[in-house]
Amino acid sequence: MPTLNKIRRVLTRDQDSVTHDRHSRILPNPAYLTRLRIAVTAFFAMDGFLFAGWVVRIPAIKAQTGAGAGALGLALLGVSAGAVAFMMLTGRLCRRFGSHAVTTASAAALALSILLPPLTRSATALGLVLLVFGAAYGSLNVAMNSAAVDLIAALRRPVMPGFHAAFSLGGMLGAGLGGLIAGRLSPTAHLSLLAAIGLLTTAVAGRTLHTHPAPTVPERLPAAPDHPRPARPGRGHRLVLVFGLIALCTAYGEGALADWGALHLSQDLAAGPGLAAAGYAVFALAMTAGRLSGTAVVRRFGAARALIAGGTTAAAGMLLGALAPTAWAACLGFAVAGLGLANIFPIAIARAGESGGADGVAVASTVGYGGMLLGPPAIGFLAEVWSLPVALTTVALLAATAAAIACATRGAHHTGRA
């Protein structure tokens, strides 16, 4: 009897994680996929929450270090430089150790590294610690997007915008919390609180990833009507680069608003700390709303139309946000820009993953986050030569460029509905 009980437990455990279709292929159980989806979503939300918490404290840390606009731009370059430097390495680590293990380790590193910026007293020191923060941030982004691509293949639905909606929701909550406590807690106390929340989330969601291996589909199922058609042989690398370039144009805008949006509202439009933090919060809220509807938009209109409409909307919104005469009008522009940018990056990364697998995610992410590498110093230098509002209009220019690329390469984004 003990032997029979052991066999029964083994069989029950295996049936919890897989099901068999009529052709005897072993596929993940829906409940198994649901648990994985919740855990991966939690990491996306935590990533946005921690990043926004850092962003809203930039004005205070700028004052603490005594950095000017140009010096701060160079220091902020550390985030993007560290991220881009570790992205390709993370792709290799995911192939060797699995995306789940790398996601958990990177999340823990991000939570710990957020403690470092408030300890600095110069722009140089700030730039160095932001290299560490950026390395953890970039590594987490590649790892969790790779985990999401594997999960999407098993789910057979274009749900990548939903994961990025969790990132935006986390950003909105992080910025909102920052706006509430910016005047009450020091940057050190505030970011220490965020680090504790991040470590707790990593422990809980990481346990799920550890006990639930990444789903594998041994035999590719026929494409659903709303699923992108497979690329012709030889096109995969070119498609990855196209999607990476589109991601670059929009990552520039997200990075610029994150790093400079609060400063624009406070310095150019005389907004208080709470309203300055609210600028990024409304941007994140609009991105969340756009991404929550992103799956339906892609299935209804196709990737190409979603990219073109998003880039055009973002360009118009950012022109308003950069040139508006009042802080409230600028916040409205940030919201419109967030709505437009919402689904461009997730669509680009998902298509890159479909074209090139985990390597495609790493390459497109590296190219895409080159926009964040370019953004902070470019905005800083342009702000010194002309003004910060004029510098922020480059976000609109690159959003329009993303729309133009998507229009010129419609075939690369073709779905059954495009």
Side-chain angles (χ1 to χ4, degrees), residues 326-392:
T326 67
W328 288 106
C331 287
L332 175 61
F334 290 172
V336 175
L339 191 62
L341 292 175
N343 293 307
I344 300 179
F345 193 90
I347 289 173
I349 297 301
R351 295 298 184 263
E354 290 161 0
S355 300
D359 286 339
V361 173
V363 170
S365 296
T366 302
V367 175
Y369 280 96
M372 288 191 177
L373 179 67
L374 175 66
I379 296 292
F381 293 141
L382 290 174
E384 286 199 334
V385 174
W386 288 295
S387 67
L388 183 54
V390 172
L392 288 174

Side-chain angles (χ1 to χ4, degrees), residues 27 42 56 91 110 136-137 166 173 229 238 254 344 375:
L27 301 176
V56 300
L110 180 66
Y137 178 74
L173 294 175
R229 298 174 182 175
R238 293 195 300 274
E254 292 188 51
I344 300 179

Side-chain angles (χ1 to χ4, degrees), residues 40 48 59 68 89 97 129 161 200 210 212 214 228 239 275 279 293 308 346 350 373 375:
V40 173
L89 174 61
F97 300 106
V129 302
L200 178 61
H210 178 70
H212 294 70
L239 292 184
L275 182 55
S293 60
I308 294 168
L373 179 67

Side-chain angles (χ1 to χ4, degrees), residues 13 24 57 73 112 160 163 173 188 191 247 249 274 302 305-307 322 326 331 353 357:
R13 180 192 64 197
S24 298
R57 299 317 298 248
L112 292 173
M160 182 66 89
F163 292 118
L173 294 175
T188 301
L191 297 184
C249 291
R305 292 180 184 140
L307 291 172
T326 67
C331 287

Side-chain angles (χ1 to χ4, degrees), residues 129-146:
V129 302
L130 289 181
L131 281 171
V132 179
F133 178 77
Y137 178 74
S139 182
L140 177 58
N141 273 268
V142 170
M144 68 185 183
N145 273 290
S146 296

Side-chain angles (χ1 to χ4, degrees), residues 209-300:
L209 294 192
H210 178 70
T211 57
H212 294 70
T216 56
V217 183
E219 184 178 338
R220 176 67 65 184
L221 299 178
D226 60 331
H227 196 76
R229 298 174 182 175
R232 294 194 301 270
R235 293 183 62 201
H237 183 67
R238 293 195 300 274
L239 292 184
V240 167
L241 293 179
V242 167
F243 298 134
L245 184 57
I246 291 173
L248 181 150
C249 291
T250 56
Y252 178 97
E254 292 188 51
L257 278 174
D259 291 344
W260 295 99
L263 287 174
H264 171 54
L265 292 174
S266 61
Q267 293 182 0
D268 299 317
L269 300 175
L275 182 55
Y280 185 75
V282 298
F283 172 74
L285 175 61
M287 292 197 78
T288 302
R291 286 171 172 174
L292 286 173
S293 60
T295 297
V297 168
V298 174
R299 296 179 74 169
R300 174 66 179 84

